[in-house]
Amino acid sequence: DLNPQQAEAVQYRGQALLIGAGAGSGKTRVLTRRIAWILSQFGAWPSQILAITFTNKAAAEMRERLGLLIGPVAQRMWVSTFHSACVRILRRDGKSIGLKSGFSIYDSADSERLVKIIATEFNLDIKRYTPRSILGHISDLKNNLTGWKENLAVHAPDFTPGQRGYQFGTVGDLEAIYAVIYAEYEHRLALANAVDFDDLIGRTVELLRTDPAVAEYYHHRFRYILVDEYQDTNHAQYVLVRELAGVDTGEKAIPGAPNAGKVGPAWITVVGDSDQSIYAFRGADIRNIQDFEQDFPNAKTIMLEQNYRSTQTILDAANAVISNNEGRKPKKLWTALGKGEPIVGYAADNAQQEAQWVATEIARLHAEEGIAYSDMAIMYRANAQSRSLEEALINTNQPYQLVGGTKFYERREIKDALAYLQALVNPDDDVNLRRILNVPKRGLGDRAEGVLLAYAREHGTSFFYALMHLDEIEVPTRTATSLRAFRDLMGALSQFTRAHDSKPSEIVAEVLEKSGLRAELEKSVDPQDASRLENLSQLQSTAAEFEQNTPDATLSAFLETTALVAD
């Protein structure tokens, strides 16, 4: 059931293939069939295939489709996002670049918190230099594989990570500020045995470049690499694919070889569409797809132009808009689905009138044309626009679901519970331990935190170490009593965690109970706290679900999935 171009892409034998897949042209079908073809016709083993997608959802869909095509062996293949694949590699081999296998993965909120701590210590005005903007800059450097050492050498060579009381030379020298905070941020991450999202890619590239034995293992292992949504890759991801494939090792592919044997680089298939590149603001580099044929001089390009999703009217409009893009490979999407309904444009005088028209049109489509509410969607440009649309839907008595809002894993109560769990898995993780020192409130403010911090700095150790050596520190009696109670709580939870590691849901329940997080919300009269309680129960259910679906479940594996999903 493939059209001629799809069939050609599935069966192509050669080291480099670019599939230019227009929207709705059946690219997932082609990718899954190509994997099945590689297994059945090229004689590859499931373990020799690495399929990379951009989202967890796409990975799950591909795994499911592969299961239907080739059966249970699909479970033995690496079908995952860039980040998930890198976590697996770093957990297995990261020790050679200084990462212990229990490392924490910081999501954007954890990273912002750490940058805020560092910026405050340097007496920077965090209203002027916001943690988010500093992190954005650090992220750009990481996506281009610019390490903190080389960046520091150029912009602030007189700074050493861990240095106290450093003064910036010129006020407002942004590059120096970014360079110093980047260096200190990486230093703190290393002390905490933690990585952030960009590090997952960058540190894996570093590992493959600096440890020949590890690089050799993965070159030998992955003989077929397939990458989806290639137009969204950034420079670091592009280099990662080349490193995993062994493209730059100097070993040449054997011309005319019927498959990717043990010698030479892996065979690479990339699927993408430069017309769908929308992530430049996150570092995606469209040149990766545009220059694919220069990167691989013997590359084959196959265009998929038949669309199975839309009517010709929609495609004509889309083609007309995108044809204005510069430097694109010409392609014309077409469909066998017929012309379809015309596109309707409506210009209203104000937001209320616009919302009223939308609500009335939905009511008409539902009543007169029998279209289900669940088959209709309203898209708006800015969050502020949702209010007038919601009001219009309420006034016309129509059911709706608002998609978005604060994401589950970013909610305060969830972040608090996860911080406890992270601190139990990785005691060196200062950011999460400091977050929960006084959550729920137990009379441990900035002074108590400062005392422990000073001891940790003085002895070059972690915050957790300072807490465990509390008896060597002079603190006022009341503070000491509260700190001891917290220390004993963390000690007891640590013991419970070690004894129940394969039951994350039981650990979550124990943490919610013993920490007082649940009790604090239960006695609150604030109606919002009732939904916060529900969220904590949901976290416990998520852990239980993870347990059922994961044969060798552990708390750290559960935290890894929440970190990868959260971002």
Side-chain angles (χ1 to χ4, degrees), residues 15 66 99 164 259 261 273 278 307 386 393 414 448 470 493 514 544:
Q15 197 232 324
L66 275 170
L99 273 179
R164 296 275 151 266
N259 59 16
D273 177 8
I278 57 170
N307 171 289
S386 74
L393 290 168
I414 298 298
L470 184 58
L493 287 173
K514 296 286 195 290

Side-chain angles (χ1 to χ4, degrees), residues 215-292:
E216 172 78 10
Y217 170 79
Y218 288 105
H219 293 163
H220 206 73
R221 174 173 183 145
F222 296 130
R223 305 307 299 147
Y224 298 90
I225 297 177
L226 302 96
V227 185
D228 192 10
E229 306 288 9
Y230 193 65
Q231 76 279 352
D232 292 335
T233 49
N234 59 33
H235 178 66
Q237 289 161 334
Y238 161 80
V239 172
L240 175 70
V241 171
R242 288 182 77 87
E243 290 292 338
L244 282 171
V247 173
D248 302 315
T249 54
E251 280 191 23
K252 290 281 173 276
I254 301 167
N259 59 16
K262 289 186 176 178
V263 188
W267 284 15
I268 296 180
T269 301
V270 301
V271 182
D273 177 8
S274 56
D275 292 344
Q276 293 183 61
S277 175
I278 57 170
Y279 286 119
F281 70 95
R282 283 213 310 232
D285 190 344
I286 197 170
R287 288 171 309 191
N288 293 350
I289 198 163
Q290 288 173 339
D291 300 345
F292 188 79

Side-chain angles (χ1 to χ4, degrees), residues 365-416:
L365 288 167
H366 183 66
E368 291 175 19
E369 300 190 24
I371 294 173
Y373 285 124
S374 57
D375 285 341
M376 296 188 254
I378 305 173
M379 294 188 175
Y380 47 86
R381 191 180 49 80
N383 285 327
Q385 288 174 280
S386 74
R387 201 173 60 88
S388 48
L389 289 162
E390 284 190 80
E391 282 172 5
L393 290 168
I394 289 165
N395 291 339
T396 50
N397 202 17
Q398 296 182 80
Y400 68 89
Q401 183 182 0
L402 191 65
V403 179
T406 306
K407 298 190 182 77
F408 181 73
Y409 290 108
E410 285 171 17
R411 292 171 192 226
R412 192 188 73 214
E413 61 281 9
I414 298 298
K415 289 291 296 170
D416 290 341

Side-chain angles (χ1 to χ4, degrees), residues 83-122:
H83 294 99
S84 301
C86 287
V87 170
R88 284 179 77 170
I89 292 170
L90 291 173
R91 290 258 188 251
R92 181 185 183 274
D93 298 299
K95 52 193 167 300
S96 79
I97 53 165
L99 273 179
K100 300 197 281 274
S101 76
F103 62 80
S104 301
I105 301 168
Y106 280 12
D107 65 15
S108 44
D110 298 326
S111 295
E112 269 185 48
R113 197 177 162 83
L114 179 53
V115 167
K116 187 178 176 185
I117 289 170
I118 295 168
T120 310
E121 286 178 17
F122 283 121

